[in-house]
Coordinates of all heavy atoms in Angstrom, one line a residue:
M6 N -10.2 -142.4 -28.8 CA -9.0 -141.7 -28.4 C -8.3 -141.0 -29.5 O -7.6 -140.0 -29.3 CB -8.0 -142.8 -27.8 CG -6.7 -142.2 -27.3 SD -5.5 -143.3 -26.7 CE -6.3 -144.5 -25.7
Q7 N -8.6 -141.3 -30.8 CA -8.0 -140.6 -31.9 C -8.2 -139.1 -31.8 O -7.3 -138.4 -32.0 CB -8.5 -141.2 -33.2 CG -8.0 -140.5 -34.5 CD -6.6 -140.9 -34.8 OE1 -6.1 -141.9 -34.4 NE2 -5.9 -140.0 -35.5
D8 N -9.5 -138.7 -31.7 CA -9.8 -137.3 -31.7 C -9.1 -136.6 -30.5 O -8.6 -135.5 -30.7 CB -11.3 -137.1 -31.6 CG -12.0 -137.5 -32.9 OD1 -11.3 -137.6 -33.9 OD2 -13.2 -137.7 -32.9
D9 N -9.1 -137.2 -29.3 CA -8.5 -136.7 -28.2 C -7.0 -136.5 -28.4 O -6.4 -135.5 -28.1 CB -8.8 -137.6 -26.9 CG -8.1 -137.1 -25.7 OD1 -8.3 -135.9 -25.4 OD2 -7.5 -137.9 -25.0
T10 N -6.4 -137.6 -28.9 CA -4.9 -137.5 -29.2 C -4.6 -136.5 -30.2 O -3.6 -135.7 -30.1 CB -4.5 -138.9 -29.7 OG1 -4.7 -139.9 -28.7 CG2 -3.0 -138.9 -30.0
D11 N -5.4 -136.4 -31.3 CA -5.2 -135.3 -32.3 C -5.3 -133.9 -31.7 O -4.4 -133.1 -31.9 CB -6.3 -135.5 -33.4 CG -6.1 -134.6 -34.5 OD1 -5.0 -134.2 -34.9 OD2 -7.2 -134.2 -35.1
Q12 N -6.3 -133.7 -30.9 CA -6.4 -132.3 -30.3 C -5.2 -132.0 -29.3 O -4.7 -130.9 -29.3 CB -7.7 -132.2 -29.5 CG -8.9 -132.2 -30.5 CD -10.2 -132.2 -29.7 OE1 -10.3 -132.3 -28.5 NE2 -11.3 -132.2 -30.4
L13 N -4.9 -133.0 -28.5 CA -3.7 -132.8 -27.6 C -2.4 -132.6 -28.4 O -1.6 -131.7 -28.0 CB -3.6 -134.0 -26.7 CG -4.7 -134.2 -25.6 CD1 -4.6 -135.5 -24.9 CD2 -4.6 -133.0 -24.6
L14 N -2.2 -133.4 -29.4 CA -1.0 -133.2 -30.2 C -0.9 -131.8 -30.9 O 0.1 -131.2 -30.9 CB -0.8 -134.3 -31.2 CG 0.5 -134.3 -32.0 CD1 1.7 -134.4 -31.1 CD2 0.5 -135.5 -33.0
R15 N -2.0 -131.4 -31.4 CA -2.1 -130.0 -32.0 C -1.8 -129.0 -30.9 O -1.0 -128.0 -31.2 CB -3.4 -129.8 -32.6 CG -3.6 -130.6 -33.9 CD -5.0 -130.4 -34.5 NE -5.3 -131.4 -35.5 CZ -5.0 -131.2 -36.8 NH1 -4.5 -130.1 -37.2 NH2 -5.3 -132.2 -37.7
A16 N -2.3 -129.1 -29.7 CA -2.1 -128.2 -28.7 C -0.6 -128.2 -28.3 O 0.0 -127.1 -28.0 CB -3.0 -128.5 -27.4
I17 N 0.0 -129.3 -28.2 CA 1.4 -129.4 -27.9 C 2.3 -128.7 -28.9 O 3.2 -128.0 -28.6 CB 1.8 -130.9 -27.7 CG1 1.2 -131.5 -26.5 CG2 3.4 -131.0 -27.6 CD1 1.3 -133.0 -26.4
L18 N 2.0 -129.0 -30.2 CA 2.7 -128.4 -31.3 C 2.6 -126.8 -31.2 O 3.6 -126.1 -31.3 CB 2.3 -128.9 -32.6 CG 2.8 -130.3 -33.0 CD1 1.9 -130.8 -34.1 CD2 4.2 -130.3 -33.3
R19 N 1.4 -126.4 -31.0 CA 1.1 -124.9 -30.9 C 1.9 -124.3 -29.7 O 2.6 -123.3 -29.8 CB -0.4 -124.7 -30.7 CG -0.8 -123.3 -30.7 CD -2.3 -123.1 -30.5 NE -2.8 -123.8 -29.4 CZ -3.6 -124.9 -29.4 NH1 -4.0 -125.4 -30.6 NH2 -4.1 -125.5 -28.3
D20 N 1.8 -125.0 -28.5 CA 2.5 -124.4 -27.3 C 4.0 -124.5 -27.4 O 4.7 -123.5 -27.1 CB 2.0 -125.2 -26.1 CG 0.5 -125.0 -25.8 OD1 -0.1 -124.1 -26.4 OD2 0.0 -125.8 -25.0
V21 N 4.5 -125.6 -27.8 CA 6.0 -125.8 -27.8 C 6.6 -124.9 -28.9 O 7.7 -124.3 -28.7 CB 6.4 -127.3 -28.0 CG1 7.9 -127.4 -28.2 CG2 5.9 -128.0 -26.7
L22 N 6.0 -124.9 -30.1 CA 6.6 -124.2 -31.2 C 6.2 -122.8 -31.3 O 6.7 -122.0 -32.2 CB 6.3 -125.0 -32.5 CG 6.7 -126.4 -32.6 CD1 6.4 -127.1 -33.9 CD2 8.2 -126.6 -32.3
G23 N 5.2 -122.3 -30.5 CA 4.8 -121.0 -30.6 C 4.1 -120.6 -31.9 O 4.4 -119.6 -32.5
L24 N 3.3 -121.6 -32.4 CA 2.7 -121.4 -33.7 C 1.6 -120.3 -33.7 O 1.0 -120.0 -32.6 CB 2.1 -122.7 -34.2 CG 3.1 -123.9 -34.4 CD1 2.3 -125.1 -34.8 CD2 4.1 -123.5 -35.4
K25 N 1.3 -119.7 -34.8 CA 0.3 -118.7 -34.9 C -1.1 -119.3 -34.6 O -1.3 -120.5 -34.9 CB 0.3 -118.1 -36.3 CG 1.5 -117.3 -36.7 CD 1.4 -116.9 -38.1 CE 2.7 -117.3 -38.8 NZ 2.6 -117.2 -40.3
P26 N -2.0 -118.5 -34.1 CA -3.4 -119.0 -33.8 C -3.9 -119.7 -35.1 O -3.9 -119.1 -36.2 CB -4.1 -117.8 -33.4 CG -3.1 -116.9 -32.9 CD -1.9 -117.1 -33.7
G27 N -4.5 -120.9 -34.9 CA -5.1 -121.6 -36.0 C -4.1 -122.4 -36.9 O -4.6 -123.2 -37.7
Q28 N -2.8 -122.2 -36.8 CA -1.9 -122.9 -37.7 C -1.9 -124.4 -37.4 O -2.0 -125.1 -38.4 CB -0.5 -122.3 -37.5 CG 0.5 -122.8 -38.4 CD 1.9 -122.2 -38.3 OE1 2.1 -121.2 -37.5 NE2 2.9 -122.7 -39.1
A29 N -1.8 -124.8 -36.2 CA -1.8 -126.2 -35.9 C -3.1 -126.9 -36.2 O -3.2 -128.0 -36.7 CB -1.4 -126.5 -34.4
E30 N -4.2 -126.1 -36.0 CA -5.5 -126.6 -36.3 C -5.7 -126.9 -37.8 O -6.5 -127.7 -38.2 CB -6.6 -125.7 -35.8 CG -6.7 -125.7 -34.3 CD -5.6 -125.0 -33.6 OE1 -4.9 -124.1 -34.2 OE2 -5.3 -125.3 -32.4
A31 N -5.0 -126.2 -38.6 CA -5.1 -126.3 -40.1 C -4.2 -127.5 -40.7 O -4.3 -127.8 -41.8 CB -4.7 -125.0 -40.8
F32 N -3.4 -128.1 -39.8 CA -2.6 -129.2 -40.3 C -3.4 -130.3 -40.8 O -4.4 -130.7 -40.2 CB -1.7 -129.7 -39.2 CG -0.5 -128.8 -38.8 CD1 0.2 -129.2 -37.6 CD2 -0.2 -127.7 -39.4 CE1 1.3 -128.4 -37.2 CE2 0.8 -126.9 -39.0 CZ 1.6 -127.2 -37.9
T33 N -3.0 -130.9 -41.9 CA -3.5 -132.1 -42.5 C -2.5 -133.2 -42.2 O -1.4 -132.9 -41.8 CB -3.8 -132.0 -44.0 OG1 -2.6 -131.9 -44.7 CG2 -4.7 -130.8 -44.3
A34 N -2.8 -134.4 -42.6 CA -1.9 -135.5 -42.4 C -0.6 -135.3 -43.2 O 0.5 -135.7 -42.9 CB -2.5 -136.9 -42.8
Q35 N -0.7 -134.6 -44.3 CA 0.4 -134.4 -45.2 C 1.2 -133.1 -44.9 O 2.2 -132.8 -45.6 CB -0.1 -134.3 -46.7 CG -0.7 -135.5 -47.2 CD -2.1 -135.8 -46.7 OE1 -2.9 -134.9 -46.5 NE2 -2.4 -137.1 -46.6
T36 N 0.8 -132.3 -43.9 CA 1.5 -131.1 -43.5 C 2.9 -131.5 -43.1 O 3.1 -132.3 -42.1 CB 0.8 -130.3 -42.4 OG1 -0.5 -130.0 -42.9 CG2 1.6 -129.1 -42.0
G37 N 3.9 -131.0 -43.8 CA 5.3 -131.3 -43.4 C 5.7 -130.6 -42.1 O 5.2 -129.5 -41.7
L38 N 6.5 -131.4 -41.3 CA 6.9 -130.8 -40.0 C 8.4 -130.5 -40.0 O 8.8 -129.5 -40.5 CB 6.6 -131.8 -38.9 CG 5.1 -132.1 -38.6 CD1 4.9 -133.1 -37.5 CD2 4.4 -130.8 -38.3
F39 N 9.2 -131.5 -39.7 CA 10.7 -131.2 -39.6 C 11.2 -131.0 -41.0 O 11.0 -131.8 -41.9 CB 11.4 -132.4 -39.0 CG 12.8 -132.1 -38.6 CD1 13.1 -131.3 -37.5 CD2 13.9 -132.7 -39.3 CE1 14.4 -131.0 -37.2 CE2 15.2 -132.4 -39.0 CZ 15.5 -131.6 -38.0
G40 N 11.9 -129.8 -41.2 CA 12.4 -129.4 -42.5 C 11.4 -128.6 -43.2 O 11.8 -128.0 -44.3
H41 N 10.2 -128.5 -42.7 CA 9.2 -127.7 -43.4 C 8.7 -126.5 -42.5 O 8.4 -125.4 -43.0 CB 7.9 -128.5 -43.8 CG 8.3 -129.6 -44.7 ND1 8.3 -129.4 -46.1 CD2 8.6 -130.9 -44.5 CE1 8.7 -130.5 -46.7 NE2 8.9 -131.4 -45.8
L42 N 8.6 -126.8 -41.2 CA 8.2 -125.7 -40.3 C 9.5 -125.1 -39.7 O 10.3 -125.8 -39.0 CB 7.4 -126.3 -39.1 CG 6.0 -126.7 -39.3 CD1 5.4 -127.2 -38.0 CD2 5.2 -125.4 -39.7
P43 N 9.8 -123.8 -39.9 CA 11.0 -123.2 -39.4 C 11.1 -123.3 -37.9 O 12.2 -123.3 -37.3 CB 10.9 -121.8 -39.9 CG 9.7 -121.6 -40.6 CD 9.0 -122.9 -40.7
E44 N 9.9 -123.3 -37.2 CA 9.9 -123.4 -35.7 C 10.4 -124.7 -35.2 O 10.8 -124.8 -34.1 CB 8.5 -123.1 -35.2 CG 7.9 -121.8 -35.6 CD 7.1 -121.8 -36.9 OE1 7.2 -122.8 -37.7 OE2 6.5 -120.8 -37.2
L45 N 10.3 -125.8 -36.0 CA 10.7 -127.1 -35.6 C 12.1 -127.4 -36.1 O 12.3 -128.1 -37.1 CB 9.7 -128.2 -36.1 CG 9.9 -129.6 -35.6 CD1 9.9 -129.7 -34.1 CD2 8.9 -130.6 -36.2
D46 N 13.0 -126.9 -35.4 CA 14.4 -127.2 -35.8 C 14.9 -128.2 -34.8 O 14.2 -128.8 -34.0 CB 15.3 -125.9 -35.7 CG 15.2 -125.2 -34.3 OD1 14.9 -125.9 -33.3 OD2 15.6 -124.0 -34.2
S47 N 16.2 -128.6 -35.0 CA 16.7 -129.7 -34.1 C 16.7 -129.4 -32.7 O 16.5 -130.3 -31.9 CB 18.2 -130.0 -34.6 OG 19.0 -128.8 -34.5
M48 N 16.8 -128.1 -32.3 CA 16.7 -127.8 -30.9 C 15.3 -128.0 -30.3 O 15.1 -128.3 -29.2 CB 17.2 -126.3 -30.6 CG 18.6 -126.1 -31.0 SD 19.7 -127.1 -29.9 CE 19.5 -126.3 -28.4
A49 N 14.3 -127.7 -31.2 CA 12.9 -127.7 -30.7 C 12.4 -129.2 -30.6 O 11.5 -129.5 -29.9 CB 12.0 -127.0 -31.7
V50 N 13.1 -130.1 -31.3 CA 12.6 -131.5 -31.3 C 12.7 -132.1 -29.9 O 11.7 -132.7 -29.5 CB 13.5 -132.4 -32.3 CG1 13.2 -133.8 -32.1 CG2 13.2 -132.0 -33.7
A51 N 13.7 -131.8 -29.2 CA 13.8 -132.4 -27.8 C 12.7 -131.8 -26.9 O 12.1 -132.6 -26.2 CB 15.2 -132.0 -27.2
G52 N 12.4 -130.5 -27.0 CA 11.4 -130.0 -26.2 C 10.0 -130.5 -26.6 O 9.2 -130.8 -25.8
L53 N 9.8 -130.7 -27.9 CA 8.6 -131.3 -28.4 C 8.4 -132.7 -27.9 O 7.3 -133.1 -27.4 CB 8.5 -131.3 -29.9 CG 7.3 -131.9 -30.6 CD1 6.0 -131.1 -30.2 CD2 7.5 -131.9 -32.1
L54 N 9.4 -133.5 -28.0 CA 9.3 -134.9 -27.5 C 9.1 -135.0 -26.0 O 8.3 -135.8 -25.6 CB 10.5 -135.7 -28.0 CG 10.6 -135.8 -29.5 CD1 11.9 -136.6 -29.9 CD2 9.4 -136.5 -30.2
T55 N 9.7 -134.2 -25.3 CA 9.6 -134.2 -23.8 C 8.1 -133.8 -23.5 O 7.5 -134.4 -22.6 CB 10.6 -133.2 -23.2 OG1 11.9 -133.6 -23.5 CG2 10.3 -133.1 -21.7
E56 N 7.6 -132.8 -24.1 CA 6.2 -132.3 -23.9 C 5.2 -133.4 -24.3 O 4.2 -133.6 -23.6 CB 6.0 -131.0 -24.6 CG 4.8 -130.2 -24.0 CD 5.1 -129.7 -22.6 OE1 6.2 -129.6 -22.2 OE2 4.0 -129.5 -21.9
I57 N 5.5 -134.1 -25.4 CA 4.6 -135.2 -25.8 C 4.6 -136.3 -24.7 O 3.5 -136.8 -24.3 CB 5.1 -135.8 -27.1 CG1 4.7 -134.8 -28.3 CG2 4.5 -137.2 -27.4 CD1 5.2 -135.2 -29.6
E58 N 5.8 -136.6 -24.2 CA 5.9 -137.6 -23.1 C 5.1 -137.2 -21.9 O 4.3 -138.0 -21.3 CB 7.3 -137.9 -22.8 CG 8.1 -138.7 -23.8 CD 9.5 -138.9 -23.4 OE1 10.1 -138.1 -22.6 OE2 10.1 -140.0 -23.8
D59 N 5.3 -136.0 -21.5 CA 4.7 -135.5 -20.3 C 3.1 -135.4 -20.4 O 2.4 -135.8 -19.5 CB 5.2 -134.1 -19.9 CG 6.7 -134.1 -19.4 OD1 7.2 -135.2 -19.2 OD2 7.3 -133.0 -19.3
R60 N 2.7 -134.8 -21.5 CA 1.2 -134.6 -21.6 C 0.4 -135.8 -22.0 O -0.7 -135.9 -21.7 CB 1.0 -133.4 -22.6 CG 1.4 -132.1 -22.1 CD 0.6 -131.0 -22.9 NE 1.4 -129.8 -23.0 CZ 1.0 -128.7 -23.6 NH1 -0.1 -128.7 -24.3 NH2 1.8 -127.6 -23.7
L61 N 1.1 -136.7 -22.8 CA 0.4 -137.8 -23.3 C 0.7 -139.1 -22.5 O 0.1 -140.2 -22.8 CB 0.6 -138.0 -24.8 CG 0.2 -136.8 -25.7 CD1 0.6 -137.1 -27.1 CD2 -1.3 -136.6 -25.5
G62 N 1.6 -139.0 -21.6 CA 1.9 -140.2 -20.8 C 2.5 -141.4 -21.5 O 2.2 -142.5 -21.2
I63 N 3.4 -141.1 -22.5 CA 4.0 -142.1 -23.2 C 5.5 -141.9 -23.1 O 6.0 -140.9 -22.7 CB 3.6 -142.1 -24.7 CG1 4.0 -140.8 -25.4 CG2 2.1 -142.4 -24.9 CD1 3.8 -140.8 -26.9
I64 N 6.3 -143.0 -23.5 CA 7.7 -142.9 -23.5 C 8.2 -142.9 -25.0 O 7.7 -143.8 -25.8 CB 8.3 -144.1 -22.8 CG1 7.9 -144.2 -21.4 CG2 9.9 -144.1 -22.9 CD1 8.4 -143.1 -20.5
V65 N 9.0 -142.0 -25.3 CA 9.6 -141.9 -26.7 C 11.1 -142.3 -26.6 O 11.9 -141.6 -26.0 CB 9.5 -140.5 -27.3 CG1 10.1 -140.5 -28.7 CG2 8.0 -140.1 -27.4
E66 N 11.4 -143.5 -27.1 CA 12.8 -144.0 -27.0 C 13.6 -143.3 -28.1 O 13.1 -142.9 -29.1 CB 12.8 -145.5 -27.2 CG 12.0 -146.3 -26.2 CD 12.5 -146.3 -24.8 OE1 13.7 -145.9 -24.6 OE2 11.8 -146.7 -23.9
D67 N 14.9 -143.2 -27.8 CA 15.8 -142.6 -28.8 C 15.7 -143.2 -30.1 O 15.7 -142.6 -31.2 CB 17.3 -142.7 -28.3 CG 17.5 -141.7 -27.1 OD1 16.7 -140.8 -26.9 OD2 18.5 -141.9 -26.4
E68 N 15.6 -144.6 -30.2 CA 15.6 -145.3 -31.5 C 14.2 -145.0 -32.2 O 14.1 -145.3 -33.4 CB 15.8 -146.8 -31.3 CG 14.9 -147.5 -30.4 CD 15.3 -147.6 -28.9 OE1 16.3 -146.9 -28.6 OE2 14.7 -148.3 -28.2
D69 N 13.2 -144.5 -31.5 CA 12.0 -144.2 -32.2 C 12.0 -142.9 -33.0 O 11.2 -142.7 -33.9 CB 10.8 -144.0 -31.1 CG 10.5 -145.2 -30.3 OD1 10.7 -146.3 -30.9 OD2 10.1 -145.1 -29.2
V70 N 13.0 -142.0 -32.7 CA 13.1 -140.7 -33.3 C 13.9 -140.8 -34.6 O 15.0 -141.1 -34.6 CB 13.7 -139.7 -32.3 CG1 13.8 -138.3 -33.0 CG2 13.0 -139.7 -31.0
D71 N 13.2 -140.6 -35.7 CA 13.8 -140.6 -37.0 C 13.1 -139.6 -37.9 O 12.1 -139.0 -37.6 CB 13.9 -142.0 -37.6 CG 12.5 -142.6 -37.8 OD1 11.5 -141.9 -37.9 OD2 12.5 -143.8 -38.0
G72 N 13.6 -139.5 -39.1 CA 13.0 -138.5 -40.1 C 11.6 -138.9 -40.4 O 10.8 -138.0 -40.7
D73 N 11.3 -140.2 -40.5 CA 9.9 -140.6 -40.9 C 8.9 -140.2 -39.8 O 7.8 -139.7 -40.2 CB 9.8 -142.1 -41.0 CG 10.6 -142.6 -42.3 OD1 10.8 -141.8 -43.2 OD2 11.0 -143.8 -42.3
M74 N 9.2 -140.3 -38.5 CA 8.3 -140.0 -37.5 C 7.9 -138.5 -37.5 O 6.8 -138.1 -37.2 CB 8.9 -140.4 -36.1 CG 8.1 -140.0 -34.9 SD 9.0 -140.3 -33.5 CE 8.8 -138.9 -32.5
L75 N 8.9 -137.7 -37.8 CA 8.7 -136.2 -37.8 C 8.5 -135.6 -39.2 O 8.5 -134.4 -39.3 CB 9.9 -135.6 -37.1 CG 10.0 -135.9 -35.6 CD1 11.4 -135.4 -35.1 CD2 8.9 -135.3 -34.8
S76 N 8.4 -136.4 -40.2 CA 8.3 -135.9 -41.5 C 7.0 -135.1 -41.8 O 7.1 -134.1 -42.4 CB 8.4 -137.0 -42.6 OG 7.3 -137.9 -42.5
D77 N 5.9 -135.6 -41.3 CA 4.6 -134.9 -41.5 C 3.7 -135.1 -40.3 O 4.0 -136.0 -39.4 CB 4.0 -135.2 -42.8 CG 3.7 -136.7 -42.9 OD1 3.2 -137.4 -42.0 OD2 4.0 -137.3 -44.0
Y78 N 2.7 -134.3 -40.2 CA 1.8 -134.4 -39.1 C 1.1 -135.8 -38.9 O 1.0 -136.3 -37.8 CB 0.7 -133.3 -39.2 CG -0.2 -133.4 -38.0 CD1 0.2 -132.9 -36.7 CD2 -1.5 -133.9 -38.1 CE1 -0.6 -133.0 -35.6 CE2 -2.3 -134.0 -36.9 CZ -1.9 -133.5 -35.7 OH -2.7 -133.6 -34.6
G79 N 0.8 -136.4 -40.1 CA 0.1 -137.7 -40.0 C 1.0 -138.8 -39.4 O 0.6 -139.6 -38.6
S80 N 2.3 -138.7 -39.8 CA 3.3 -139.7 -39.2 C 3.4 -139.5 -37.7 O 3.5 -140.5 -37.0 CB 4.6 -139.5 -39.9 OG 4.5 -139.8 -41.3
L81 N 3.5 -138.3 -37.3 CA 3.7 -138.0 -35.8 C 2.4 -138.4 -35.1 O 2.5 -139.1 -34.0 CB 4.0 -136.5 -35.6 CG 4.2 -136.2 -34.1 CD1 5.4 -137.0 -33.5 CD2 4.5 -134.7 -34.0
L82 N 1.3 -138.1 -35.6 CA 0.0 -138.5 -35.0 C -0.1 -140.0 -35.0 O -0.5 -140.6 -33.9 CB -1.2 -137.9 -35.8 CG -2.6 -138.2 -35.2 CD1 -2.7 -137.8 -33.8 CD2 -3.6 -137.6 -36.1
N83 N 0.2 -140.7 -36.0 CA 0.2 -142.2 -36.0 C 1.1 -142.8 -34.9 O 0.7 -143.7 -34.2 CB 0.5 -142.8 -37.4 CG -0.5 -142.6 -38.4 OD1 -1.7 -142.4 -38.1 ND2 -0.2 -142.6 -39.6
F84 N 2.3 -142.2 -34.8 CA 3.2 -142.7 -33.8 C 2.6 -142.5 -32.4 O 2.6 -143.4 -31.6 CB 4.6 -142.0 -33.9 CG 5.5 -142.2 -32.8 CD1 6.2 -143.4 -32.8 CD2 5.6 -141.4 -31.7 CE1 7.1 -143.7 -31.7 CE2 6.4 -141.6 -30.7 CZ 7.2 -142.8 -30.6
V85 N 2.1 -141.3 -32.1 CA 1.6 -141.0 -30.8 C 0.4 -141.8 -30.5 O 0.2 -142.4 -29.4 CB 1.3 -139.5 -30.7 CG1 0.5 -139.2 -29.4 CG2 2.6 -138.7 -30.7
T86 N -0.5 -142.0 -31.5 CA -1.7 -142.8 -31.3 C -1.4 -144.2 -31.0 O -1.9 -144.8 -30.1 CB -2.6 -142.7 -32.6 OG1 -2.9 -141.4 -32.8 CG2 -3.8 -143.5 -32.4
E87 N -0.4 -144.8 -31.7 CA 0.0 -146.2 -31.4 C 0.6 -146.3 -30.0 O 0.3 -147.3 -29.3 CB 1.1 -146.6 -32.5 CG 0.5 -146.9 -33.8 CD 1.5 -147.2 -34.9 OE1 2.7 -147.3 -34.6 OE2 1.1 -147.2 -36.1
R88 N 1.4 -145.4 -29.6 CA 2.0 -145.4 -28.3 C 1.0 -145.3 -27.2 O 1.1 -145.9 -26.2 CB 3.1 -144.3 -28.1 CG 4.4 -144.6 -28.8 CD 4.9 -145.9 -28.2 NE 5.8 -146.6 -29.1 CZ 7.1 -146.6 -28.9 NH1 7.7 -146.0 -27.9 NH2 7.9 -147.2 -29.8
R89 N 0.0 -144.4 -27.4 CA -1.0 -144.3 -26.4 C -1.8 -145.5 -26.3 O -2.3 -145.9 -25.2 CB -1.9 -143.1 -26.7 CG -1.2 -141.7 -26.5 CD -2.2 -140.6 -26.6 NE -2.8 -140.4 -25.2 CZ -3.9 -139.7 -25.0 NH1 -4.5 -139.1 -26.0 NH2 -4.4 -139.5 -23.8
G90 N -2.0 -146.2 -27.4 CA -2.8 -147.5 -27.4 C -2.1 -148.6 -26.7 O -2.7 -149.4 -26.1
A91 N -0.7 -148.5 -26.7 CA 0.1 -149.5 -26.1 C 0.3 -149.3 -24.6 O 0.8 -150.1 -23.9 CB 1.4 -149.6 -26.8
A92 N 0.0 -148.1 -24.2 CA 0.3 -147.7 -22.8 C -0.7 -148.3 -21.8 O -1.7 -148.7 -22.1 CB 0.2 -146.2 -22.6

C-alpha cells in the first residue's frame, strides 16, 4: 500500500496545488511543504486535506493538523500511510 499511497498523494498534491509537471514526482521525504512551497498556503491546506480525505478514504481530524504533519513530504506521507492502515 505504501507505493499506492505515495503515488496517490503525489497526484493529490499536483492536482490541488497546480504544481508543474514532474514537480511532485521529484519530492523526497525531506522536501519541505508548508512554508516552503508557495502554492501551499493556509488557504490551500483546507483544500488539500479535503482532497486527501475524499481520494484516500481517511478522516483527518482538526487536532491532527499541525506544523509537523505538513512540514515535509515524508511527514505527510507517513501520516496518510498510518491513517490508511488504520482504516
